[in-house]
Amino acid sequence: MPGKKMHTGLSICGGGILGIGPLTILKNLEKDLQDEFGDPNLQIQHFFDCYAGTSTGSIITALLVSGISAQKAFRIFKNNAKNIFTKYPWYKRVKPKCPTYDHSYLFRVLKAYLGNSKMNALPYPTFIPTTRMNGKKAVEKVWDDRDDELLRFAVATSTAAPTYFDVIEKDGQSYCDGGLWANDATMVLESGMKLRFPESKLRVLVLNTGMSVPSKAYGNMSLIGWAKYLIDDWVARTGNSNCFEAMANLGKENFMRISPMIEEPIELDKVERLAEVIEIWETHYTEVKKDLLAFVKNEAKKESESV
């Protein structure tokens, strides 16, 4: 990898159960690439050599960098989504600081599939944002290949969404969801790769887990109205600037973002809408399939020609 002239990265945003969407794209893409190259054992990892993922995106990223195919990762996510969002008993949730969901099931899933793999032993450059707190200030933290830390711990910290799951504590530090500052990890990926391989170029595919929702607010609003707008609409769009910068830095031909349009946002813990989310992304895949395959195969062609 150090001598490569071009790297191809995959960046996956956070979004709770909505993570089944990017996995729908990836498992379909993987299957079509297997058919295209006549190799049933081909995995999506053959086409990407660096990864970034926040919150739910970190789960998907971790499964892929651990060698799990996109099709298997899809099944793992789908089969475990309901149990991951298991509520604490009511008598615990009446306490003001108790989050809604018990993260112990998620921890068991992460241990089962990620084992004791460490960040600094992964086969690909991998970047997982989290938010580190020590009681004095919040600190943006990116787990990467310089960290002698368990991959599953890094993922657990990135998925600790406030009010949904407990913060994660270790060695006097508290960690919560990386989505608080980098729900879209595209610039984290670009920056990390630039530091490691300053002479190389980068191509990036971004999967926007939260999808695109039209803003229905306009004109002057009250203080409460503006607060609701910022929380419901604008925070969800904080990744747009990352993509704008990445496209400008990398060039339009080296950047692709997949983001289905939906009329109303879907809450990240609505497990009962899992099938609906899958259908949205299945439909969107048929719409972007031609361009997506061209984007991925173009890099594969360049790599094969350079060998």
Side-chain angles (χ1 to χ4, degrees):
M1 177 173 288
K4 287 184 66 175
K5 295 181 179 180
M6 177 72 77
H7 296 289
T8 302
L10 177 63
S11 176
I12 307 175
C13 306
I17 63 101
L18 304 182
I20 197 68
L23 280 169
T24 301
I25 286 281
L26 291 173
K27 63 103 172 173
N28 283 333
L29 177 60
E30 185 174 76
K31 181 63 171 64
D32 284 336
L33 288 169
Q34 289 173 348
D35 294 341
E36 182 80 15
F37 288 92
D39 183 357
N41 297 314
L42 189 68
Q43 294 186 183
I44 200 69
Q45 295 90 327
H46 179 79
F47 299 90
F48 298 98
D49 50 18
C50 54
Y51 297 81
T54 302
S55 197
T56 299
S58 74
I59 298 176
I60 299 170
T61 292
L63 293 173
L64 295 179
V65 299
S66 297
I68 295 173
S69 71
Q71 293 168 78
K72 182 177 179 180
F74 174 86
R75 294 192 297 271
I76 292 171
F77 196 102
K78 183 180 179 182
N79 293 340
N80 289 285
K82 182 177 180 180
N83 289 328
I84 287 174
F85 285 93
T86 298
K87 289 185 176 181
Y88 273 115
W90 68 267
Y91 57 85
K92 288 189 176 182
R93 284 186 282 122
V94 295
K95 299 178 180 179
K97 293 185 178 181
C98 182
T100 303
Y101 301 103
D102 181 353
H103 57 201
S104 59
Y105 186 87
L106 172 61
F107 287 4
R108 292 197 293 272
V109 172
L110 295 178
K111 185 175 183 179
Y113 291 102
L114 306 182
N116 292 320
S117 298
K118 288 196 172 184
M119 291 296 304
N120 59 7
L122 295 177
Y124 309 97
T126 304
F127 307 91
I128 298 177
T130 187
T131 303
R132 182 173 56 193
M133 303 175 292
N134 57 15
K136 298 178 182 178
K137 60 181 180 179
V139 180
E140 295 80 4
K141 164 66 180 173
V142 178
W143 299 107
D144 59 28
D145 54 14
R146 295 169 296 184
D147 290 301
D148 184 28
E149 184 56 82
L150 291 172
L151 173 60
R152 57 186 165 94
F153 179 79
V155 172
T157 66
S158 188
T159 58
T163 76
Y164 290 95
F165 295 104
D166 287 294
V167 299
I168 311 298
E169 298 185 355
K170 182 179 180 181
D171 299 332
Q173 300 283 341
S174 294
Y175 299 90
C176 62
D177 202 312
L180 294 177
W181 67 278
N183 194 54
D184 184 319
T186 303
M187 290 305 294
V188 170
L189 175 61
E190 183 188 344
S191 300
M193 291 299 288
K194 186 68 175 178
L195 288 171
R196 284 158 180 71
F197 310 105
E199 302 302 320
S200 298
K201 294 183 179 180
L202 178 67
R203 306 174 78 243
V204 178
L205 172 65
V206 182
L207 301 180
N208 181 23
T209 307
M211 300 176 277
S212 299
V213 183
S215 175
K216 298 179 180 179
Y218 62 93
N220 290 327
M221 291 181 281
S222 66
L223 183 61
I224 294 176
W226 278 112
K228 186 177 187 303
Y229 169 67
L230 290 172
I231 294 173
D232 293 348
D233 287 8
W234 202 248
V235 171
R237 291 176 168 78
T238 54
N240 290 355
S241 62
N242 284 341
C243 292
F244 180 82
E245 291 178 49
M247 187 180 295
N249 294 341
L250 305 178
K252 187 176 181 180
E253 72 281 4
N254 292 322
F255 183 86
M256 186 173 189
R257 187 178 193 235
I258 306 297
S259 183
M261 177 68 74
I262 55 177
E263 284 301 313
E264 299 289 342
I266 298 175
E267 295 179 36
L268 61 82
D269 58 343
K270 294 298 181 182
V271 181
E272 63 272 19
R273 301 185 69 177
L274 203 67
E276 178 186 348
V277 176
I278 293 172
E279 184 177 356
I280 290 170
W281 285 79
E282 288 278 7
T283 300
H284 193 58
Y285 181 70
T286 63
E287 298 167 351
V288 302
K289 174 180 174 179
K290 180 179 178 181
D291 291 339
L292 182 55
L293 281 170
F295 183 86
V296 173
K297 288 192 297 180
N298 180 56
E299 174 62 13
K301 180 179 179 181
K302 289 182 180 178
E303 286 301 316
S304 64
E305 291 174 347
S306 66
V307 174

